[in-house]
Amino acid sequence: MKEINRRFNLKSNDVKSFPKKNTLQAAEILMGGNLYVDPWFESFMPYELKSFDWNVKYSKAPTTHQLYLQGLTPVAYLTGAFVLEQRKEYLALASEFISSWNAFQKTKESKENEYIWDHHGVAIRAESILYFALICQEYNYKFIDEEVINDIREQHAVWLSDNENYLSGTNHGVFENKALLYLGYALSNRSMIEIAKKRTYEESKVLFTSEGITTENSFNYQRINKELFFEIGEILSKNSDPLGEELIKLTSKAEDFMGYAIKPNRYCSTFGDTMIAYYGDCFTINPNGVLAYASSQAKKNIPKLPPKMVSYPISGYFIGREFWSSKDKSFSDATWTLFKCGYSNIVHKQADDNSFSLYSRGHDIFVDCGMYNYMFRDPVRHYLRTANAHNTVIVDESSFEFQRNALCDRCGIIHSDINEKYGYVVGYNYLYLGVYMLRHFVFAYNKIFIIDKIESNTSHKYTQLFHLSNDLTIKFLSKNKLVADIGNNPDCSKVSVSQMNNGTDIELIYGGDVARKNEQSYGIMSEEFNSFFNINTVKFNANAKDFVYLTSISIGEEDNKDAFNYNSNTNILSIYESDKCIELKILQENELNIKCKKKIPLDNCSIENDNDVITVKDNDNYNEDVSYAWYVVDEDTREKIFIQMYKKDKYFKFDLNTSNSQRIHIRVFLLNELTNFKCSQIVAHFKKTNGEWVMRKELGIDPSVLLY
């Protein structure tokens, strides 16, 4: 690899990822013959490097374990421990890990491992090996042949420089950029540095919105991306590159969002793929920023108090807090809420649109249920990503489709009104096929009012969900009301939820009951990796075609049932506080700038069943001439049972009993005869149970219809 004239100054302390807080603990576990790869894993497998299986599958999350193993994180822990303790044995074992891995990568067995040359794995391995090499150089130790370590570094530099190996649009690509930048400075290679810089600048426009919030939909990844870009910014600034200051400015803005999004007890909110973590007195870029103030619980002085309410409509967040500083109240007692709706990237996304979390009086009240792990087929992980695990409204006990970027304009925050008296935001969720939902969310400190307006083409079961923290003790339940104590002390406050509209019934589910039935639906929360526990889920159910939930939530010493009054004729919401009344105009749909069209092709198909003869009709009218093709598909074999090619007739009939299948679905294709463009949508699923056919309407939108 050709070197340039300038010799860059790279020291081990420029590699900011190491040592970590748990470095010494990890090193001692490794020295004791047990494999430590990341603090997420609480159990450790015994190992012996002379006979080590680098393809080993371990724990309930074997792919994540393999990722960090192939990333040679044990090398980084052992090297960091040497820096802290000056014990040569740590570097000696790190050297053995590198030699063992280097031998493994040359074997045919390595070809079977998808993580050995994974984007993220290569990046953290390159950084681990570079850190080891820098420490050995600075302390003049030679635990491994210098030519071998240089060959490994160059091998990784070449791999990371190749655009074929670059994963854009996620933090994994930024990990690659950081490792390549470090290697570029270590090897004094300007070409590598410029590649890393260009990619990093482009990723800064993709991974952060203009509001400074990561598009990866998670508090964890807000922190990870903030730290990644900051570390890159620091090394660039050290080498007098102006991009460095630009990145540091971006990450300072990103850090402010984190300050708003940590709860008053200094724990992070768990929206998206997030595990709970404590942020008390954490490292901050800006000593005068929101995170510095929030993480110190107001102990750090800042020039001006942050606003109590903020809205990020582009990114899809509203956050409200009762107070930032009070002489009479504890900082951690403030009421806090986070409302979430909208996305632009499916990475680490969950079906949490129009959901919210609530905290008050030192306790979680309504919780976002967490992530569990990254194993998508795990039933707990699958449940936690669904709308069923969030404080929102679901349709027919089902979640909605969100795992396509093409769907992202079908939800979001479309109105924000913030002042000293209240915060009012409106979120829309058109991600269910044929169902259109608006959530009006009003935060008035210790009072929240929610209007869920739902319109549909057909009748459904709607469920408004509340996932209760285990810090709550339920005191009262009726078909339209919930009252619970917050905390366990005798003078605790209460939270009450009242449905002001008729037509609902209530259902309480405790996770333990669900788990005994071997079903993972409702009543489950995960705060730590590979661990979950049971909680209560309260469901307010309604059966209707169109429905409006009018929901009053209040926190106080007593059940404040008269906190709100809503006049549906004038659309005026009255908020009562002692002898004061605040009036707020609730906007109607025609007054809101909804980004997507309300109707999409094929979202209004009706289905009739006459003695198992199914008649499907598209009830929408189109401006162009269109024709229809219908497919009946076996859901077990994916074979086509029946095909009716394009006709102008909007009707399709099929006798279910002519099929030998037990599970089928009907898909319709729509052809625009002017443009020759096609789109398609599954209409319904049919399952034969005990000799009878049971129908389930399809609620997931096929992204292909959005291109019509």
Side-chain angles (χ1 to χ4, degrees):
M1 187 173 293
K2 185 179 178 181
E3 292 190 350
I4 59 177
N5 292 328
R6 179 182 172 190
R7 303 296 300 183
F8 292 97
N9 180 25
L10 185 76
K11 300 292 185 183
S12 61
N13 58 12
D14 293 325
V15 185
K16 298 296 184 181
S17 302
F18 314 113
K20 297 179 184 291
K21 288 182 179 179
N22 57 327
T23 289
L24 287 176
Q25 176 196 12
E28 283 304 306
I29 291 170
L30 287 161
M31 293 293 291
N34 292 298
L35 188 63
Y36 188 107
V37 297
D38 192 87
W40 282 355
F41 299 94
E42 295 182 349
S43 62
F44 317 106
M45 59 169 282
Y47 76 97
E48 169 57 58
L49 284 177
K50 291 180 181 179
S51 58
F52 187 61
D53 177 11
W54 283 91
N55 288 326
V56 65
K57 294 181 179 179
Y58 179 73
S59 86
K60 291 185 285 186
T63 58
T64 305
H65 191 271
Q66 258 295 318
L67 170 68
Y68 288 111
L69 176 61
Q70 295 302 326
L72 287 185
T73 56
V75 171
Y77 285 120
L78 291 162
T79 307
F82 167 79
V83 173
L84 297 174
E85 295 287 308
Q86 305 292 297
R87 288 176 56 191
K88 294 181 183 179
E89 309 94 276
Y90 291 139
L91 284 184
L93 184 55
S95 175
E96 290 179 32
F97 264 99
I98 294 172
S99 297
S100 177
W101 177 86
N102 194 37
F104 164 71
Q105 70 149 325
K106 299 172 183 177
T107 66
K108 64 179 181 180
E109 286 78 17
S110 70
K111 310 303 179 189
E112 304 168 5
N113 194 313
E114 63 182 301
Y115 289 94
I116 189 170
W117 295 109
D118 170 84
H119 310 85
H120 191 191
V122 173
I124 57 179
R125 182 170 66 238
E127 204 169 321
S128 297
I129 292 172
L130 176 61
Y131 184 56
F132 170 83
L134 290 170
I135 291 297
C136 287
Q137 179 181 324
E138 291 167 14
Y139 285 85
N140 198 28
Y141 289 137
K142 293 184 179 180
F143 287 95
I144 193 169
D145 187 274
E146 189 172 341
E147 186 175 340
V148 171
I149 204 76
N150 286 340
D151 285 347
I152 294 174
R153 287 197 301 180
E154 188 156 334
Q155 174 193 27
H156 283 71
V158 171
W159 193 95
L160 290 166
S161 298
D162 189 342
N163 283 332
E164 291 294 319
N165 300 323
Y166 182 62
L167 183 65
S168 62
T170 77
N171 64 86
H172 292 189
V174 188
F175 273 105
E176 289 186 80
N177 294 339
K178 181 160 71 91
L180 181 59
L181 191 68
Y182 284 147
L183 286 168
Y185 283 124
L187 300 171
S188 293
N189 188 289
R190 169 61 68 182
S191 175
M192 290 165 49
I193 293 169
E194 291 302 321
I195 291 171
K197 280 176 55 183
K198 181 176 183 294
R199 290 174 178 171
T200 299
Y201 176 77
E202 292 171 349
E203 292 297 350
S204 72
K205 305 302 179 185
V206 173
L207 287 176
F208 287 100
T209 68
S210 59
E211 297 167 328
I213 300 176
T214 183
T215 58
E216 293 198 301
N217 306 291
S218 157
F219 190 99
N220 271 7
Y221 289 91
Q222 179 79 9
R223 175 188 58 78
I224 288 170
N225 280 308
K226 183 221 36 164
E227 291 176 355
L228 283 172
F229 281 93
F230 177 67
E231 289 169 15
I232 293 172
E234 270 201 317
I235 192 66
L236 288 172
S237 292
K238 179 180 177 181
N239 286 277
S240 304
D241 193 307
L243 178 58
E245 290 306 313
E246 186 176 336
L247 294 177
I248 291 172
K249 184 178 179 181
L250 167 67
T251 55
S252 180
K253 188 176 182 180
E255 191 175 81
D256 280 346
F257 171 74
M258 293 175 62
Y260 292 115
I262 64 170
K263 295 174 285 191
N265 63 357
R266 301 191 280 189
Y267 282 87
C268 69
S269 43
T270 55
F271 59 87
D273 282 348
T274 296
M275 290 176 293
I276 197 163
Y278 180 66
Y279 282 82
D281 298 314
C282 61
F283 165 77
T284 58
I285 299 165
N286 182 2
N288 295 318
V290 183
L291 182 59
Y293 187 75
S295 66
S296 70
Q297 291 193 329
K299 293 181 177 65
K300 289 185 180 178
N301 293 321
I302 60 175
K304 183 181 178 181
L305 281 180
K308 288 182 279 191
M309 290 177 253
V310 289
S311 179
Y312 297 95
I314 296 171
S315 309
Y317 298 89
F318 164 82
I319 305 170
R321 184 182 293 250
E322 182 185 4
F323 56 82
W324 281 106
S325 179
S326 174
K327 295 180 180 178
D328 302 322
K329 297 180 180 179
S330 168
F331 187 95
S332 61
D333 281 347
T335 299
W336 170 98
T337 191
L338 184 145
F339 175 82
K340 175 91 170 71
C341 188
Y343 65 107
S344 58
N345 188 338
I346 63 171
V347 179
H348 298 293
K349 166 76 176 151
Q350 297 186 1
D352 54 3
D353 300 289
N354 274 349
S355 71
F356 77 106
S357 301
L358 183 63
Y359 166 101
S360 186
R361 304 302 183 261
H363 299 276
D364 285 313
I365 295 177
F366 304 132
V367 294
D368 193 298
C369 290
M371 64 164 273
Y372 190 59
N373 61 28
Y374 294 108
M375 306 295 291
F376 292 110
R377 295 182 182 178
D378 186 295
V380 177
R381 164 69 169 168
H382 178 267
Y383 159 71
L384 291 173
R385 295 188 79 208
T386 66
N388 306 52
H390 297 90
N391 300 304
T392 187
V393 175
I394 61 172
V395 182
D396 294 337
E397 304 281 354
S398 299
S399 188
F400 50 80
E401 172 60 49
F402 65 93
Q403 297 175 59
R404 299 289 185 274
N405 284 340
L407 297 172
C408 69
D409 66 348
R410 297 192 63 80
C411 61
I413 292 177
I414 47 175
H415 178 74
S416 298
D417 176 13
I418 294 174
N419 54 54
E420 281 298 312
K421 299 173 182 176
Y422 60 78
Y424 168 39
V425 293
V426 183
Y428 73 101
N429 181 352
Y430 289 179
L431 288 164
Y432 282 108
L433 186 66
V435 183
Y436 317 104
M437 294 192 283
L438 291 177
R439 171 163 275 194
H440 301 260
F441 187 86
V442 180
F443 175 72
Y445 302 111
N446 287 316
K447 295 184 273 294
I448 291 175
F449 192 76
I450 298 173
I451 302 176
D452 286 315
K453 185 177 181 182
I454 311 165
E455 296 179 358
S456 177
N457 297 325
T458 56
S459 183
H460 295 279
K461 176 185 178 182
Y462 302 121
T463 302
Q464 189 189 60
L465 292 167
F466 293 92
H467 299 280
L468 277 57
S469 156
N470 282 338
D471 291 349
L472 298 187
T473 303
I474 296 174
K475 291 297 184 180
F476 177 80
L477 279 177
S478 69
K479 68 177 184 178
N480 59 4
K481 192 163 190 173
L482 158 70
V483 179
D485 286 344
I486 304 171
N488 299 312
N489 63 75
D491 301 319
C492 62
S493 296
K494 298 182 184 298
V495 59
S496 63
V497 181
S498 300
Q499 300 295 344
M500 298 168 65
N501 210 358
N502 294 324
T504 63
D505 60 68
I506 198 168
E507 186 178 354
L508 173 65
I509 295 177
Y510 179 65
D513 297 333
V514 175
R516 281 193 288 273
K517 298 176 183 176
N518 198 29
E519 300 172 3
Q520 302 294 356
S521 56
Y522 309 115
I524 294 172
M525 183 172 183
S526 174
E527 291 184 338
E528 298 177 349
F529 194 68
N530 274 337
S531 175
F532 73 90
F533 55 88
N534 299 319
I535 59 174
N536 283 308
T537 296
V538 171
K539 302 165 63 183
F540 289 102
N541 302 310
N543 293 286
K545 180 173 175 287
D546 302 330
F547 193 75
V548 177
Y549 287 93
L550 301 176
T551 309
S552 169
I553 303 170
S554 63
I555 296 165
E557 304 308 316
E558 298 179 358
D559 171 19
N560 191 353
K561 63 181 179 179
D562 298 320
F564 298 96
N565 180 63
Y566 177 62
N567 187 323
S568 58
N569 295 319
T570 62
N571 299 316
I572 297 296
L573 175 67
S574 298
I575 308 170
Y576 298 102
E577 182 66 48
S578 301
D579 57 346
K580 299 178 182 178
C581 177
I582 303 165
E583 291 191 340
L584 165 63
K585 173 74 169 7
I586 297 297
L587 299 179
Q588 300 307 292
E589 188 171 343
N590 60 2
E591 301 173 282
L592 296 165
N593 182 26
I594 297 174
K595 298 174 186 176
C596 66
K597 295 179 181 178
K598 182 172 180 179
K599 305 291 184 181
I600 61 173
L602 302 173
D603 77 340
N604 192 14
C605 291
S606 59
I607 305 170
E608 294 181 0
N609 186 346
D610 184 9
N611 293 319
D612 294 338
V613 176
I614 303 300
T615 302
V616 185
K617 178 188 176 184
D618 182 9
N619 294 303
D620 281 334
N621 294 311
Y622 306 103
N623 295 328
E624 299 88 0
D625 287 335
V626 297
S627 55
Y628 299 82
W630 303 85
Y631 284 66
V632 181
V633 179
D634 186 303
E635 292 199 335
D636 295 313
T637 65
R638 300 299 178 186
E639 292 182 358
K640 301 175 182 65
I641 298 170
F642 181 82
I643 300 175
Q644 177 179 295
M645 292 308 292
Y646 289 97
K647 295 182 179 180
K648 290 188 177 296
D649 194 347
K650 290 186 171 188
Y651 293 87
F652 172 67
K653 286 191 175 184
F654 181 74
D655 187 343
L656 296 172
N657 293 318
T658 61
S659 165
N660 294 323
S661 302
Q662 299 300 305
R663 296 195 312 145
I664 65 174
H665 70 245
I666 296 176
R667 177 181 285 274
V668 54
F669 286 81
L670 186 68
L671 173 67
N672 185 324
E673 296 183 349
L674 179 64
T675 64
N676 205 35
F677 187 85
K678 299 176 184 176
C679 62
S680 73
Q681 177 68 52
I682 293 176
V683 176
H685 306 260
F686 300 89
K687 181 180 180 181
K688 199 167 191 177
T689 304
N690 298 325
E692 294 186 1
W693 287 98
V694 178
M695 182 189 78
R696 174 174 63 84
K697 276 188 69 68
E698 175 60 46
L699 290 170
I701 297 172
D702 189 327
S704 68
V705 300
L706 303 177
L707 303 176
Y708 179 77

